[in-house]
Amino acid sequence: MSSQPSDAAAGTQAEISAEMAEIDKTHTSTGHARPQPVLNYPPYRSSILRHPTKDLHHADPEEIERWAPCFGPQDVGALEADLTVQHPGEPIGERIEVTGRIRDGAGRPVAGQLVEIWQANAAGRYIHQRDQHPAPIDPNFTGVGRCLSDAEGRYRFTTIRPGPYPWKNHRNAWRPAHIHFSLFGTDFTQRLITQMYFPGDPLLALDPIYRSITDARDRELLVARYDHEVTRPQWSTGYRWDIVLTGPHRTRFEEDDA
Amino acid sequence: MRRSTPGQTVGPFYHYALPYPGDHTLVPPGSANAIRFHGTVIDGAGDPVPDALLEIWQPAPDGSVVRRAGSLHRDGFTFTGWGRASTDTTGHFSFSTLRPGGPDAFFAVTVFARGLLDRLFTRAYLPSPEPAPFLKGVDAERRGTLIAVAEPQGFRFDIRLQGDGETVFLNFGTDER
Ligand SMILES: [Fe+3]
């Protein structure tokens, strides 16, 4: 059996939306906290055969897990944070800045750590062999960026606002516009890959990947906000999105000691 | 503690973004003491997962935690202890690395995949006559999923996301809300 349902076999948006509403109702009524997102989330069809069925086993981090891999200036070029200057011409679309702070669960900045992003172009097309969405490739836009967070945990990218794109989860399924983010903390246990969304997107309510975070307070943490202070005159609009990692397990004393 | 930002699936389109030249070669293959750490990722139907991404993080052979940059632009001499590998069309991944050292040594492993809504953590312990203290706290029938298999060139570690022989995945106390 293929884990990627064909269009013919897929349900409608109304069916998927009804499934999502039912899960929300169950989670609200039972009221107990769950890890977010829920790994077993059948409205996201590809999760059905790919989620563990056993409870995660509790582990206290061992020494190696209380440290994170190190990245440095030799790993990331200064221009990699600007996705609009990677080709000879200007990419098409709405130029935006995306910036924010990365902190750990105790509010401490995550400094000097690698941030990677990838995204579709303004038309909702990835430069990826398997993306067959018949929307134009932009020869001046790859959609990949990297940077290191600064001493205050800040990151900043200049890019193009991505478009929404269709996918095959169900009939007429569309992903809300998003930027994929990959983040490291100061502990191995803080590793995070997630997606940043845009405020006011009507597709968010219809999207089983976003809705797999069944607690509204939690999923809204993935939505950036428009910030006129970030907007640059005559150049780009600005979005702010702060990220909070878990933990850490390691104390500042150990850090100083090292 | 603040509410932490939830994860989301890595999705199907990370291949042009996250992999990079040298991502899975922590040391050049064939160099002194290089070993292979490899395996297959399998889904609940027993099918290979061709769009998974794995990362490993490990101590050096002397057991120390490496704190050296250079994982993204490897110079061929600096061992950073961190690497990344995508599975191929047969669900197989492979790293060229060094044997992790220290008592109860393991590779810390993170798994990402299309269809997997958040990352999963696990450990690949090196086989040893006396199981690590942590392993003694894991159900005897499932313990084996956390132990790599010794091979002439290194270690094999298969990952089953679901079903028979489901790998033990870990929670470090960070996922509860
Ligand atoms: Fe995407």
Side-chain angles (χ1 to χ4, degrees):
Chain A
M1 182 189 143
S2 162
S3 53
Q4 192 160 24
S6 73
D7 259 350
T12 62
Q13 180 67 54
E15 285 161 9
I16 294 287
S17 291
E19 287 179 39
M20 295 193 293
E22 194 54 41
I23 294 169
D24 275 3
K25 213 159 59 181
T26 323
H27 284 203
T28 312
S29 63
T30 55
H32 68 267
R34 284 175 185 74
Q36 299 281 338
V38 178
L39 297 180
N40 175 14
Y41 195 73
Y44 175 33
R45 299 301 193 220
S46 303
S47 79
I48 293 173
L49 288 172
R50 293 186 172 190
H51 70 272
T53 57
K54 309 268 198 297
D55 287 342
L56 301 183
H57 188 96
H58 177 81
D60 292 323
E62 302 280 1
E63 176 70 4
I64 183 72
E65 290 158 334
R66 295 191 296 120
W67 296 92
C70 275
F71 301 92
Q74 70 267 53
D75 288 307
V76 182
L79 291 178
E80 290 189 73
D82 189 340
L83 286 73
T84 68
V85 297
Q86 297 172 352
H87 298 275
E90 287 287 338
I92 289 168
E94 177 186 347
R95 193 184 294 112
I96 60 172
E97 309 288 312
V98 179
T99 186
R101 285 188 71 187
I102 309 164
R103 277 176 274 212
D104 67 21
R108 294 169 1 197
V110 173
Q113 198 44 294
L114 180 67
V115 184
E116 297 165 279
I117 65 169
W118 70 103
Q119 61 166 94
N121 68 21
R125 177 85 186 253
Y126 284 91
I127 296 198
H128 190 290
Q129 268 186 327
R130 283 189 227 172
D131 185 0
Q132 296 302 318
H133 175 32
I137 296 269
D138 183 342
N140 291 314
F141 190 72
T142 302
V144 176
R146 289 193 191 97
C147 73
L148 294 177
S149 56
D150 71 12
E152 273 80 54
R154 281 188 299 252
Y155 71 89
R156 185 181 193 102
F157 292 102
T158 302
T159 185
I160 295 294
R161 184 175 169 134
Y165 60 85
W167 60 312
K168 294 195 168 141
N169 189 66
H170 53 278
R171 218 173 308 140
N172 205 14
W174 287 79
R175 292 299 327 280
H178 58 274
I179 300 177
H180 296 267
F181 269 75
S182 165
L183 301 138
F184 294 82
T186 53
D187 278 31
F188 172 79
T189 62
Q190 294 171 301
R191 185 78 179 93
L192 178 69
I193 286 186
T194 190
Q195 303 183 22
M196 185 207 91
Y197 299 95
F198 290 86
D201 190 334
L203 292 170
L204 286 171
L206 307 180
D207 180 41
I209 292 180
Y210 177 68
R211 293 279 299 269
S212 70
I213 303 159
T214 59
D215 185 317
R217 287 173 304 174
D218 280 331
R219 64 183 177 240
E220 282 160 14
L221 295 173
L222 297 185
V223 182
R225 65 185 166 84
Y226 174 76
D227 187 343
H228 206 64
E229 295 298 312
V230 178
T231 291
R232 293 164 67 192
Q234 310 294 320
W235 190 250
S236 57
T237 55
Y239 290 87
R240 187 173 291 281
W241 185 52
D242 293 328
I243 297 155
V244 179
L245 303 178
T246 57
H249 292 91
R250 190 151 41 88
T251 63
R252 199 176 279 279
F253 174 76
E254 287 172 283
E255 261 168 70
D256 295 341
D257 205 37
Chain B
M1 291 300 238
R2 293 152 191 261
R3 283 186 101 73
S4 53
T5 307
Q8 293 269 264
T9 179
V10 71
F13 298 136
Y14 59 83
H15 292 92
Y16 76 102
L18 296 180
Y20 57 90
D23 57 1
H24 63 289
T25 54
L26 289 76
V27 297
S31 60
N33 303 320
I35 62 160
R36 185 183 202 202
F37 177 71
H38 73 129
T40 299
V41 183
I42 306 280
D43 72 10
D47 291 329
V49 176
D51 41 16
L53 184 81
L54 271 85
E55 290 174 354
I56 59 168
W57 171 231
Q58 62 165 102
D62 66 2
S64 64
V65 176
V66 180
R67 301 181 67 205
R68 306 279 297 274
S71 291
L72 266 64
H73 289 281
R74 301 199 192 273
D75 63 12
F77 298 92
T78 306
F79 179 71
T80 66
W82 184 83
R84 174 182 280 170
S86 322
T87 55
D88 64 16
T89 52
T90 66
H92 185 253
F93 65 90
S94 183
F95 293 91
S96 170
T97 185
L98 299 175
R99 185 186 173 103
D104 308 318
F106 61 86
F107 297 92
V109 179
T110 321
V111 185
F112 306 92
R114 178 181 68 81
L116 180 59
L117 277 156
D118 202 0
R119 81 282 170 274
L120 292 171
F121 295 120
T122 188
R123 291 176 183 166
Y125 281 87
L126 303 192
S128 149
E130 178 63 12
F134 171 75
L135 290 174
K136 291 178 186 159
V138 177
D139 275 354
E141 321 85 83
R142 302 194 66 209
R143 190 181 293 161
T145 71
L146 295 172
I147 304 172
V149 177
E151 292 186 333
Q153 291 178 304
F155 300 96
R156 181 172 186 102
F157 185 68
D158 293 330
I159 295 172
R160 288 175 182 79
L161 295 177
Q162 185 186 90
D164 284 345
E166 185 174 304
T167 298
V168 172
F169 296 105
L170 306 178
N171 169 13
F172 294 107
T174 51
D175 287 330
E176 287 95 7
R177 300 255 161 182

